[in-house]
């Protein structure tokens, strides 16, 4: 007996659209058309914690643009400010090796004594000097090689002892250099002995202030200003201040001028922080730029802010008009409040009964009366 196999039905028969073929199987239905790529439906409803990113083809992007949808704009990369140039890291202040001044005085006195002794040895010391020094009479053999060598040694000791003496004062420092190399900084006070072969450069390390001349600036609206600033600063690193830049004072002036070109300064009485906010911003900016050269800035505060001559007259008229407008608005507000309070009290206490027309007439008359009493035209 032969059996005939029935034809196998297609997978789509007997299954709902988008349904699963079995309890653990995923649907095979796909979303597709002639202009998009194929995206499996089960990828749109995943329960897995890890998201799956489905790349779209160029056709999808073209279809979106054709439908009016604009592509996501690309944000430009933020412009990073170039860092300030750093001074040679070896140029960092450190204490120089010095001796107390007593050592130099002692060495000079020893050298001077040696010179007198060699003169007596050579027989060249005058009798009066010998008697004053209570030296015995001695007839020397004159100047020979030994005497000349002794003279050279004693003279060098005397010159080195007295020539290396220096006086250190409070608020001042010595920057030492030998053959073009930085050898240290001396901040000690009193009598000191410093190697006479080194080059000494004096630096003022006290707290200093500088009042600038009128510098160009701008307010938040871009109007030209003339600003005078007061800068409080001091030299913190003497090596970088003297050797890291040609002139640290000129460098500080240039930093202040550059900061004024970038920070808007609002005249007094403004609504955006005024001079105090501009002073804080200037202080931060100038301190950051002056730190690499060993200059410490404590404060940069505008002390006089005025408009440039070419716009001073126009800005003066503008400020007068704004002040007058504020005054009129304040006066009108007070008049309206007074009229409202008067009408409300008269009505609530039953003193008058007013319809709409009479109320309007009363409000007008009270407004005219109050404005006339304040000396302002209606």
């Amino acid at each position: 007996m032969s059996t005939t196999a029935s034809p196998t039905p297609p997978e789509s028969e007997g299954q709902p659209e988008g349904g699963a073929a079995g309890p653990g199987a995923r649907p095979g239905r796909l979303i597709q058309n002639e202009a998009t790529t194929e995206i499996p439906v089960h990828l749109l409803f995943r329960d897995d914690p890890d998201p799956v990113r489905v790349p779209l083809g160029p056709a999808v992007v073209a279809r979106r643009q054709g439908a009016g949808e604009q592509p996501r704009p690309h944000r430009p990369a933020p412009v990073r400010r170039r860092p300030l140039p750093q001074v040679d890291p070896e140029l960092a202040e450190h204490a120089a090796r010095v001796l107390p001044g007593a050592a130099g005085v002692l060495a000079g006195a020893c050298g001077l004594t040696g010179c007198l002794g060699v003169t007596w040895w050579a027989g060249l010391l005058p009798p009066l000097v010998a008697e004053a020094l209570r030296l015995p009479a001695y007839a020397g053999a004159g100047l020979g090689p030994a005497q000349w060598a002794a003279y050279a040694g004693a003279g060098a000791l005397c010159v080195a002892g007295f020539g290396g003496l220096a006086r250190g004062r409070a608020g001042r420092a010595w920057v030492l250099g030998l053959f073009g190399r930085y050898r240290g900084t001396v901040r000690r006070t009193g009598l000191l002995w410093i190697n006479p072969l080194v080059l000494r450069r004096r630096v003022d390390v006290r707290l200093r202030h500088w009042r600038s001349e009128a510098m160009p600036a701008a307010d938040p609206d871009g109007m030209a200003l003339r600003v005078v600033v007061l800068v409080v600063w001091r030299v913190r690193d003497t090596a970088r201040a003297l050797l890291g830049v040609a002139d640290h004072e000129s460098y500080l002036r240039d930093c202040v001028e550059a900061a004024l070109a970038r920070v808007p300064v609002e005249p007094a009485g403004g609504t955006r922080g005024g001079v105090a906010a501009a002073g804080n911003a200037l202080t931060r900016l100038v301190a950051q730029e002056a730190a690499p050269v060993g200059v410490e800035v404590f404060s940069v505060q505008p002390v006089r802010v005025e408009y440039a001559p070419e716009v001073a007259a126009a800005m003066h008229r503008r400020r007068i008009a704004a002040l007058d407008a504020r005054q009129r608005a304040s006066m009108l507000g007070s008049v309206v409040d007074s009229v409202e309070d008067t009408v409300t009290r008269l009505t609530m206490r039953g003193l008058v009964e007013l319809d709409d027309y009479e109320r309007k007439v009363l409000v007008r008359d009270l407004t005219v009366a109050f404005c006339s009493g304040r000396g302002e035209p209606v």
Side-chain angles (χ1 to χ4, degrees):
M1 180 178 180
S2 63
T3 59
T4 303
S6 61
T8 304
E11 294 180 3
S12 59
E13 293 183 2
Q15 295 180 5
E17 183 179 356
R26 291 183 175 178
R29 178 73 63 178
L30 304 177
I31 299 176
Q32 61 180 352
N33 55 27
E34 66 279 3
T36 60
T37 58
E38 297 182 357
I39 306 176
V41 176
H42 66 275
L43 294 180
L44 303 179
F45 305 96
R46 289 178 59 92
D47 296 330
D48 299 339
D50 297 331
V52 177
R53 297 188 179 184
V54 181
L56 298 179
V60 179
V61 178
R63 184 176 180 86
R64 286 184 175 180
Q65 292 180 352
E69 182 178 352
Q70 298 296 329
R72 180 178 299 177
H74 296 282
R75 295 182 179 179
V79 179
R80 295 184 178 180
R81 184 181 176 187
R82 300 181 62 181
L84 294 174
Q86 298 295 328
V87 185
D88 187 358
E90 295 184 358
L91 281 181
E93 180 180 334
H94 60 271
R97 296 179 180 179
V98 295
L99 297 177
V105 173
L106 180 61
C110 292
L112 184 60
T113 304
C115 290
L116 291 176
V118 173
T119 304
W120 174 79
W121 180 25
L124 301 178
L125 192 66
L128 295 178
V129 177
E131 292 179 2
L133 296 177
R134 297 181 181 180
L135 295 177
Y138 176 75
L143 291 176
Q147 285 79 9
W148 282 113
Y151 261 130
L157 183 60
C158 182
V159 171
F162 290 125
L165 293 178
R167 184 182 63 174
R169 295 191 297 175
R172 303 295 176 90
W174 293 99
V175 177
L176 308 182
L178 182 61
F179 303 119
R181 183 178 180 183
Y182 172 64
R183 304 300 298 177
T185 301
V186 180
R187 289 181 177 262
R188 296 171 56 181
T189 59
L191 188 62
L192 306 171
W193 184 85
I194 303 174
N195 186 359
L197 298 180
V198 300
L199 178 64
R200 312 175 191 177
R201 299 177 64 180
R202 187 181 292 274
V203 186
D204 191 346
V205 294
R206 295 174 296 180
L207 189 66
R208 303 168 64 182
H209 70 279
W210 166 59
R211 184 186 178 96
S212 71
E213 64 279 0
M215 293 184 174
D219 65 356
D221 297 328
M223 303 303 296
L225 298 174
R226 292 294 182 268
V227 181
V228 177
V229 298
L230 180 66
V231 185
V232 181
W233 62 283
R234 72 175 178 182
V235 174
R236 184 174 184 179
D237 193 313
T238 56
R240 294 186 176 183
L242 257 68
L243 306 177
V245 68
D247 186 356
H248 60 277
E249 296 185 8
S250 300
Y251 180 81
L252 179 61
R253 293 189 182 95
D254 295 340
C255 288
V256 172
E257 189 172 359
L260 282 174
R262 285 178 284 175
V263 177
V265 181
E266 189 177 11
T271 59
R272 305 180 186 178
V275 179
N280 295 335
L282 288 173
T283 301
R284 290 193 301 269
L285 189 58
V286 176
Q288 180 182 1
E289 294 185 352
V293 297
V295 176
E296 185 177 8
V297 178
F298 295 96
S299 174
V300 181
Q301 296 296 331
V303 295
R304 190 178 67 189
V305 180
E306 57 187 14
Y307 285 98
E310 58 270 17
V311 297
M315 294 306 299
H316 180 69
R317 292 193 298 268
R318 179 179 175 183
R319 295 183 66 178
I320 293 297
L323 180 62
D324 183 66
R326 288 198 299 268
Q327 184 178 1
R328 287 178 178 273
S330 176
M331 183 273 299
L332 183 59
S334 62
V335 168
V336 170
D337 293 341
S338 301
V339 171
E340 180 182 6
D341 183 65
T342 302
V343 175
T344 302
R345 289 188 178 185
L346 290 175
T347 305
M348 293 182 63
R349 295 183 181 183
L351 299 179
V352 293
E353 294 182 0
L354 304 173
D355 55 10
D356 293 341
Y357 177 77
E358 292 175 345
R359 181 184 295 273
K360 293 179 181 179
V361 172
L362 179 60
V363 169
R364 184 190 62 186
D365 295 341
L366 289 176
T367 303
V368 173
F370 287 155
C371 291
S372 300
R374 293 175 182 269
E376 295 289 342
V378 181

